[in-house]
Every structure is written in structure tokens, then in C-alpha cells.
Amino acid sequence: MAYNLLKGKKGIIFGALDEKSIAWRTALRCHEEGAQLVLTNAPVALRMGEINKLAEAVNAPVIGADVTNMDDLKNLFEGAMKHFGGQVDFVLHSIGMSLNVRKNKPYTEIDYGFNQKTLDISAMSLHRVLRTAWDLDAISDWGSVVALTYIAAQRVFPDYNEMADAKALLEGVARNFGYHYGVKKKVRINTVSQSPTKTTAGSGVKGFDGFISYAEKMSPLGNASADQCADYVVSLFSDLTKMVTMQNLFHDGGFSFTGVTQAVIEQMEK
């Protein structure tokens, strides 16, 4: 059901790879709620993914951008503003990549060159995006930026590896840049800590299927789906949440504040 929550608003969606991705589902919901969009991803992801299919569905142009390249980001925001005929109202940062995870290197034996790339792509990319928007005055007053994160930033999940450090840094960038952007332009910046979700990227984490089942048993409401996350992100892009900023918002069915559940106890006693 649509409520016209984003009618007249314009936004950039980073990271839509395929129909399983949260960014993809969010783009569909933003379009349904009346928003105009520009889609973007890294050049390699544009070749591997199916973003043109999404672009057709939401009537949006695709502008490729390497988030570690400031010239690419400048071109993206300038292209978006030219397309929209003005400033952007919201941005979704849905970006994450770990070479150490891909190479099956345990946390205690990470390659530090790989680690630098992980932090740059998965976390400092948010700073680069915000810095570019700041320099170009690309986000409108009372605009909204949301970055997707995970509870491994606060708790230990061994197989999440160095991505836990990246998510902790990502949340720090959101808070600190959120202060400065709030003072300057009333732009709000938040992170959403989502349930483990069966996306193409998430499924690459060791033991992911087992953890999905565990999280389902540990969450009073169950795991939140990608579509439910998209609903939540839409609310954060809307004018209904204009005074929410610099927050890490858990969207996980209650997992983050549950010590143990009866379902888990019963499973352990079998």
C-alpha cells in the first residue's frame, strides 16, 4: 500500500545489485511512494548485476560511480542534480565489500592491504559521499541520508570478520558527519541495523544460513525482511522523521535487546 510519503522528493540509491538486495527493494518502495530516483553502483557491479531491469521499473537513469573516487562521486551528484533540475532530498548508502571474507582469511590473519580496501569501500565511502554532497550543496535542507549496517558493529559475530570493524566505522561517520550536516543544513544522517537478510552479498558469509535460523529464534518478532527494511527506510526519508538524526536504528525484530528466548532454550536442551 502506498501513502505518497515521498511525493515530490528526489533521491539517489547506491548498491542495488539484484532483486534480493535491500537497495533494490528500497528503490521499488521509494518509487511506489512517489519519489524520483537516480540509481548508482560500481562499474563492476553494473556489469554483474541487473540494475537496468530496476531502472526500467522505477523510470530512473543509472550513473555508475566508484565510491572510492571523488571525481566519480562528483559526476554522480552533478548528473543527478541535472536530471532532477535541483537538489537531492535523500540518499541510501547500501555498500559493503570484504576481500578478506572473499579470500576466506580469518580475522586473526587478515591481509592489511585487503583490510584497507574493505574500510575504504564499506565505511569511508559514506564520508566521501557526504563530503561530495556537502561541497556541491547537493542535498536539500531537511534532507535524509541512510546507511545500512549490522549489529556486528557492537557485538562479536566471528564469521562476520573485518566487516564488523567496517560497520563500526560506518556508524561513527554517520554520527560525526550527522552533527556537521545537521548544523549546516538540517540534513539528517542515520544508520539502520538490519536483521541478517538473504541478499547475494549476505549469503557469502560463512555459516549464514545457520545464523539466519538462530536469529529467527532469538527475535520476538522474527527476522525483518528486505521489503520490511525498505518500508522502514522510506519512513526515514519521509518528513515524518525530520527530527531523527545521528542514530543507529535497530530493525531486527527485537534481536538486539533480547538475551535469550524460549525457542533457543528448547533448541539447546534437545
Side-chain angles (χ1 to χ4, degrees):
M1 180 181 294
Y3 305 92
N4 284 323
L5 290 177
L6 303 182
K7 185 177 182 180
K9 293 191 181 295
K10 306 168 180 66
I12 298 175
I13 303 289
F14 284 81
L17 180 65
D18 56 34
E19 292 182 355
K20 295 180 181 178
S21 70
I22 294 173
W24 186 294
R25 311 313 297 179
T26 301
L28 291 176
R29 284 293 290 118
C30 289
H31 176 68
E32 185 179 2
E33 290 296 338
Q36 298 178 51
L37 300 173
V38 164
L39 305 175
T40 185
N41 213 328
V44 65
L46 295 182
R47 293 193 298 271
M48 294 170 56
E50 304 171 351
I51 198 169
N52 289 331
K53 178 180 176 182
L54 175 64
E56 184 176 349
V58 300
N59 191 31
V62 178
I63 304 176
D66 176 351
V67 291
T68 67
N69 186 303
M70 294 296 282
D71 289 335
D72 273 17
L73 289 173
K74 183 172 183 286
N75 178 67
L76 167 63
F77 275 98
E78 287 179 341
M81 287 191 289
K82 182 178 180 180
H83 173 70
F84 293 138
Q87 293 172 304
V88 172
D89 298 303
F90 62 84
V91 176
L92 176 68
H93 178 285
S94 180
I95 302 165
M97 188 281 298
S98 169
L99 283 174
N100 280 299
V101 171
R102 287 185 183 179
K103 301 293 185 180
N104 296 313
K105 290 185 176 292
Y107 185 79
T108 53
E109 300 171 21
I110 60 173
D111 178 292
Y112 295 114
F114 290 168
N115 181 248
Q116 186 175 2
K117 291 180 181 179
T118 295
L119 297 178
D120 199 20
I121 293 170
S122 304
M124 290 310 296
S125 60
L126 177 60
H127 197 288
R128 292 173 188 271
V129 167
L130 294 170
R131 167 71 183 277
T132 303
W134 174 281
D135 289 347
L136 295 175
D137 192 23
I139 301 178
S140 62
D141 288 16
W142 297 101
S144 176
V145 179
V146 172
L148 299 180
T149 186
Y150 185 56
I151 195 175
Q154 290 83 32
R155 298 186 188 177
V156 176
F157 295 89
D159 291 328
Y160 203 66
N161 208 309
E162 64 176 349
M163 278 302 297
D165 297 343
K167 292 301 189 184
L169 177 56
L170 178 79
E171 292 173 17
V173 169
R175 283 189 297 272
N176 284 290
F177 223 123
Y179 167 79
H180 295 287
Y181 231 143
V183 170
K184 182 180 182 181
K185 295 278 293 183
K186 304 301 182 186
V187 170
R188 56 203 194 271
I189 303 171
N190 296 288
T191 53
V192 169
S193 188
Q194 165 71 358
S195 295
T197 310
K198 288 189 175 182
T199 62
T200 299
S203 298
V205 177
K206 182 181 176 184
F208 188 74
D209 287 342
F211 186 68
I212 283 268
S213 177
Y214 168 74
E216 181 75 24
K217 289 182 172 65
M218 274 289 291
S219 307
L221 300 180
N223 291 330
S225 69
D227 283 324
Q228 288 168 329
C229 186
D231 288 341
Y232 191 42
V233 172
V234 163
S235 75
L236 293 170
F237 288 157
S238 79
D239 290 337
L240 299 178
T241 53
K242 291 179 72 171
M243 299 305 290
V244 181
T245 194
M246 301 162 61
Q247 302 299 307
N248 180 46
L249 302 162
F250 291 102
H251 185 257
D252 60 8
F255 178 91
S256 49
F257 286 92
T258 302
V260 71
T261 63
Q262 189 63 36
V264 169
I265 291 173
E266 292 173 357
Q267 182 71 31
M268 295 301 291
E269 289 179 339
K270 285 183 179 179

